[in-house]
Amino acid sequence: MLKLRDVNVAIAGVRVLRDVSFTLRPGICTVLIGRNGAGKTTTLRAIMGLVPLTGGAITLEGEALHTQPSYARARLGVGYAPEDRRLISEFSVEENLLLPALAMKLDAAERRRRLDEVYSLLPQLAEMRKRPGGATSGGQGKMVALGRALMVAQKVVMLDEPFQGLAPALAQDYAKTLAELRKAHEGLALLITESSPNLLDSIADETLSIERGAIGAEAPAPH
């Protein structure tokens, strides 16, 4: 579905990604493992169009994605939850969730349908929908960022270090939510970055390693 072919990225003249190639397939959860600074976040930002490529190509269902601006990639069904959440503090939780749908100019009925889907999967968000985004805890903010990404993600959802900073109990809840997400959206492709593979053993189908901006051998995840 979504394919990276020989993707290169340089930031401030420094080569960050080196000929990165892999494929995300419908219904498959791919975990990208690497230490801090290995290139995980840059890979997701390249897919989302937040950093330009210096070489290579990214395609979605055979069509060039790397030539599209970021907002167009969201409209094509690619959702992204960044590591730092990036919620608008003054907006309520529900307003943060609705923001990408409004930006894409979805009609009211479609916005409501997608919001109801998010609340069904993440009922805790419905309970705090009127709370300001700035008043959420770290774990709650991660859930809001996931819900916001799901408002967009019809084909692919990318989660950057979703477990970072979460207490063990919250990490377990988040992992359970991801498992439920896979059941509810069987055709969705997931790409999740993590520093440690152990947190995602139960849901990962494939594991990729990245080191110094290059992808190592691809292997099925252990179960």
Side-chain angles (χ1 to χ4, degrees):
M1 175 193 284
L2 191 148
K3 182 176 291 188
L4 281 72
R5 187 178 71 251
D6 298 328
V7 167
N8 285 270
V9 169
I11 298 176
V14 177
R15 195 176 179 193
V16 179
L17 295 186
R18 305 167 183 271
D19 300 322
V20 169
S21 297
F22 62 83
T23 300
L24 303 180
R25 292 174 286 150
I28 298 298
C29 177
T30 301
V31 179
L32 183 61
I33 302 294
R35 291 178 289 186
N36 289 339
K40 303 187 302 297
T41 295
T42 301
T43 300
L44 269 57
R45 288 176 176 170
I47 294 171
M48 206 64 219
L50 301 176
V51 294
L53 306 191
T54 54
I58 303 173
T59 59
L60 179 65
E61 296 181 332
E63 299 295 327
L65 192 68
H66 61 280
T67 58
Q68 301 283 345
S70 294
Y71 65 83
R73 302 182 199 204
R75 287 177 179 166
L76 290 170
V78 182
Y80 172 48
E83 177 188 345
D84 56 1
R85 299 168 293 169
R86 299 196 182 186
L87 305 183
I88 297 178
S89 298
E90 298 80 8
F91 284 13
S92 69
V93 165
E94 185 162 293
E95 287 170 335
N96 272 282
L97 294 174
L98 285 170
L99 189 59
L102 291 167
M104 293 191 297
K105 299 182 179 179
L106 300 180
D107 62 41
E110 181 62 13
R111 293 198 303 270
R112 187 74 246 175
R113 184 190 71 78
R114 295 193 187 192
L115 190 62
D116 287 345
E117 281 188 352
V118 169
Y119 284 156
S120 176
L121 182 67
L122 300 165
Q124 62 269 53
L125 296 188
E127 295 172 4
M128 58 182 187
R129 62 183 179 272
K130 295 183 180 180
R131 184 181 305 178
T136 57
S137 68
Q140 291 167 340
K142 292 272 190 182
M143 289 295 187
V144 178
L146 172 60
R148 183 182 57 195
L150 293 177
M151 289 291 291
V152 171
Q154 301 298 294
K155 298 175 182 176
V156 180
V157 63
M158 305 185 298
L159 311 177
D160 193 9
E161 300 263 12
F163 295 96
Q164 187 175 48
L166 295 186
L170 287 174
Q172 288 182 355
D173 287 345
Y174 198 105
K176 186 182 298 183
T177 297
L178 293 181
E180 292 170 356
L181 168 63
R182 297 196 65 193
K183 292 178 183 177
H185 299 276
E186 295 181 353
L188 194 64
L190 275 75
L191 176 60
I192 306 174
T193 69
E194 262 303 331
S195 299
S196 170
N198 299 330
L199 293 167
L200 289 161
D201 279 352
S202 61
I203 64 168
D205 297 306
E206 297 174 346
T207 300
L208 300 172
S209 63
I210 186 167
E211 181 67 30
R212 296 182 181 179
I215 296 290
E218 183 171 343
H223 287 288

